[in-house]
């Protein structure tokens, strides 16, 4: 065996637990950057350098969270039909090097974040703290029913804020947008839980893999996803009407997006189990891009006639 092959075999498990294939999730940072540019009337071209550094910083912090997640979850992942083959479960990584990798990734992430701005660095620290609370005892929110979805999905608004702080730190994103983003993330996470629960198939084994599954059922997870989808749509609607009435025209498009993802979630061996690979669903991906283009156009196009609905009441007082 050559030295190159031996080095690769020793390093690869540590690269694997950092999950670089999950970096795709950091696209949720981009809407924050775009919206901040719109709200501050600033050209996004001025921030390409900070945007690249910010994305790299976020990828490093996310990987640090994944590293600690895989190491601590090894004792539970052995009950999952696929995750039982992870490097941490198979004993291909050791505690000393895992913790060193975790600290190294945090150091890289924070160092890059300082180059963006102080608010961006503070938000990255919060991002890492949420990963710690989600995975590490005695907190370990991922084991607590309902709180597991709520605490994991907070990473969505955190990414939005990170994108926002790349452009400005004199303002914060509208609360309606943050809550809508959070609830949207909770919808995605509850669908993922539902898909995993169905895939495992046996409630007793599912409970060994994820403690919160001892309290969930397929029905409760579907109802939960419906609740979060409604919350997201409500807060999104508030944001659209308050800040850009033209965006109301995109609401049916978002309804289709939620319904389509639900359809993917209830499929056998659902792709929703791995949201980071959802881009492989070509139709869904193309539609998401199309919807993003529509939203961008609605930001640029004025439709004065829509203001009539804000200025006139259908119910008059006698």
């Amino acid at each position: 065996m050559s030295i190159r092959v031996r080095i690769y075999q020793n390093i690869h498990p540590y690269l694997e637990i950092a999950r670089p294939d999950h970096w795709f999730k950091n696209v949720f940072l981009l809407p924050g950057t775009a919206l901040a540019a719109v709200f501050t009337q600033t050209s996004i071209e001025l921030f390409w350098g900070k945007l690249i550094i910010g994305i790299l910083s976020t990828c490093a912090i996310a990987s640090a969270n994944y590293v600690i997640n895989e190491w601590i979850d090894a004792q539970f992942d052995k009950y999952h039909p696929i995750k039982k083959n992870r490097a941490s479960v198979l004993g291909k990584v050791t505690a000393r090097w895992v913790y060193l990798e975790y600290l190294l990734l945090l150091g890289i992430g924070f160092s890059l974040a300082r180059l963006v701005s102080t608010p961006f660095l503070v938000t990255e620290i919060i991002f890492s703290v949420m990963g710690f609370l989600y995975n590490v005892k005695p907190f370990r929110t991922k084991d607590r029913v309902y709180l597991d979805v709520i605490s994991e999905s907070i990473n969505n608004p955190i990414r939005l804020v990170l994108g926002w702080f790349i452009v400005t730190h004199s303002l914060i994103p509208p609360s309606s947008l943050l809550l809508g983003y959070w609830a949207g993330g909770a919808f995605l996470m509850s669908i993922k839980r539902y898909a995993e629960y169905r895939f495992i198939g046996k409630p007793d084994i599912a409970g060994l893999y994820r403690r919160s599954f001892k309290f969930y059922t397929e029905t409760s997870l579907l109802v939960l996803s419906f609740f979060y989808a409604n919350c997201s749509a409500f807060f999104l609607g508030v944001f659209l009407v308050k800040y850009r009435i033209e965006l109301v025209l995109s609401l049916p498009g978002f309804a289709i997006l939620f319904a389509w993802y639900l359809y993917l979630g209830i499929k056998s061996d659902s792709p929703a189990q791995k949201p980071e690979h959802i881009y492989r669903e070509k139709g869904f991906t193309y539609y998401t891009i199309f919807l993003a283009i529509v939203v961008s156009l609605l930001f640029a196009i004025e439709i004065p006639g829509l203001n009539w609905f804000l200025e006139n009441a259908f119910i008059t007082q006698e």
Side-chain angles (χ1 to χ4, degrees):
M1 182 183 300
S2 67
I3 296 178
R4 182 178 300 179
V5 172
R6 190 176 304 167
I7 293 175
Y8 173 80
Q9 289 180 342
N10 289 333
I11 294 178
H12 183 261
Y14 295 95
L15 296 176
E16 185 180 329
I17 65 173
R19 302 186 198 172
D21 58 321
H22 285 228
W23 289 349
F24 175 77
K25 294 178 182 178
N26 294 319
V27 298
F28 286 106
L29 180 150
L30 299 179
T33 302
L35 286 170
V38 170
F39 272 73
T40 59
Q41 297 183 339
T42 306
S43 175
I44 198 171
E45 295 177 359
L46 300 175
F47 299 95
W48 281 116
K50 284 189 174 182
L51 178 60
I52 294 172
I53 294 172
I55 290 175
L56 291 175
S57 170
T58 305
C59 288
I61 300 299
S63 283
N65 289 340
Y66 294 142
V67 164
I68 205 68
N69 174 286
E70 289 224 7
W71 175 252
I72 295 176
D73 276 7
Q75 57 183 310
F76 308 105
D77 286 345
K78 63 185 179 181
Y79 297 107
H80 191 279
I82 295 177
K83 293 181 181 180
K84 65 182 181 181
N85 296 313
R86 283 179 168 177
S88 53
V89 179
L90 299 177
K92 295 182 179 180
V93 294
T94 59
R96 178 178 61 178
W97 293 109
V98 166
Y99 292 133
L100 179 61
E101 181 181 11
Y102 174 69
L103 294 175
L104 179 62
L105 287 167
L106 286 181
I108 292 172
F110 295 152
S111 297
L112 290 172
R114 289 184 60 188
L115 301 177
V116 179
S117 69
T118 299
F120 188 90
L121 171 61
V122 171
T123 308
E124 289 285 28
I125 292 173
I126 294 173
F127 188 25
S128 66
V129 169
M130 290 307 302
F132 185 87
L133 296 177
Y134 184 69
N135 291 292
V136 180
K137 291 181 178 182
F139 314 102
R140 198 165 167 77
T141 59
K142 72 185 305 177
D143 283 344
R144 306 180 189 277
V145 65
Y146 304 122
L147 185 59
D148 60 335
V149 170
I150 294 172
S151 62
E152 170 66 6
S153 57
I154 198 174
N155 289 335
N156 267 28
I158 286 176
R159 287 185 171 97
L160 180 76
V161 172
L162 286 170
W164 183 276
F165 282 152
I166 287 174
V167 175
T168 180
H169 49 79
S170 59
L171 303 169
I172 59 173
S175 58
S176 55
L177 180 61
L178 290 175
L179 290 170
Y181 227 63
W182 192 348
F187 166 76
L188 299 177
M189 184 54 57
S190 56
I191 290 295
K192 178 183 178 181
R193 292 282 185 270
Y194 172 80
E196 283 183 325
Y197 190 89
R198 285 191 69 205
F199 180 71
I200 295 173
K202 299 178 180 179
D204 53 335
I205 300 298
L208 293 174
Y209 158 64
R210 192 177 296 279
R211 188 173 181 272
S212 61
F213 278 168
K214 294 180 179 180
F215 308 97
Y216 285 130
T217 64
E218 289 186 23
T219 300
S220 66
L221 285 167
L222 277 180
V223 171
L224 194 62
S225 68
F226 182 75
F227 169 76
Y228 287 129
N230 277 290
C231 288
S232 182
F234 172 79
F235 288 119
L236 183 61
V238 171
F239 170 76
L240 299 184
V241 173
K242 184 176 181 180
Y243 293 97
R244 184 73 179 177
I245 185 63
E246 286 79 5
L247 290 174
V248 169
L249 298 177
S250 68
L251 275 176
F254 282 104
I256 292 173
L257 189 72
F258 276 74
W260 197 333
Y261 198 84
L262 175 61
Y263 166 73
L264 294 176
I266 61 178
K267 291 176 65 176
S268 178
D269 193 13
S270 168
Q273 294 181 80
K274 298 180 179 180
E276 64 279 0
H277 294 158
I278 200 66
Y279 64 88
R280 296 176 181 175
E281 295 291 323
K282 300 299 184 183
F284 182 81
T285 300
Y286 293 148
Y287 177 76
T288 303
I289 294 172
F290 167 75
L291 183 58
I293 293 172
V294 169
V295 170
S296 300
L297 290 174
L298 290 174
F299 263 112
I301 298 173
E302 296 282 347
I303 308 178
L306 290 175
N307 290 314
W308 185 89
F309 294 96
L310 298 178
E311 298 167 355
N312 294 273
F314 291 98
I315 301 176
T316 58
Q317 294 182 348
E318 296 182 358

